[in-house]
Amino acid sequence: MKVIIAIDSFKGCLTSKEANEAAAEGIRRVYPDAEIVEIPVSDGGEGYMEAFHAAIGGRLVDVVVRDPLMRLITAKYLLHDEMAVIEIAQASGLTLLERGRNISS
């Protein structure tokens, strides 16, 4: 049996890769001989660069940026040949905000 797993992330809870791995673990428990293919996917938001990196490879580069509250944080971008891929959610995504806190806090 061949099973293809392609699950998007669960915002702030699981990355696409983590969700795929959890599903694969469950399938292996029931079908230990199954051939499992895990494909990280993204709708363009959180997890986009991870899915892109899994698909084309390249080099992830750390860079210091400001988050939605202007705090310095480290984000990544992907370099592949002469192409750069940026996931804006790493610098301004909802997962960077704390529940109940606003910009003026």
Side-chain angles (χ1 to χ4, degrees):
M1 170 187 296
K2 183 174 188 175
V3 179
I4 298 173
I5 303 170
I7 302 172
D8 197 350
S9 65
F10 291 82
K11 189 175 293 298
C13 180
L14 291 174
T15 66
S16 176
K17 181 179 180 191
E18 292 167 339
N20 286 343
E21 288 171 352
E25 181 180 327
I27 292 166
R28 282 189 191 96
R29 287 181 186 169
V30 178
Y31 300 103
D33 296 328
E35 178 187 351
I36 299 174
V37 177
E38 298 175 47
I39 303 170
V41 296
S42 172
D43 62 3
E46 179 184 283
Y48 174 76
M49 189 172 4
E50 179 182 282
F52 213 97
H53 186 238
I56 69 166
R59 181 171 60 100
L60 293 171
V61 179
D62 289 334
V63 62
V64 176
V65 298
R66 294 205 180 261
D67 75 0
L69 300 177
M70 299 306 291
R71 300 172 293 196
L72 292 174
I73 62 168
T74 301
K76 297 183 185 305
Y77 65 92
L78 173 65
L79 277 179
H80 184 270
D81 297 327
E82 293 186 25
M83 174 179 61
V85 177
I86 298 169
E87 179 183 316
I88 194 67
Q90 286 201 11
S92 66
L94 290 174
T95 58
L96 298 172
L97 296 176
E98 300 166 26
R99 184 175 289 278
R101 183 171 180 181
N102 62 37
I103 292 175
S104 62
S105 295

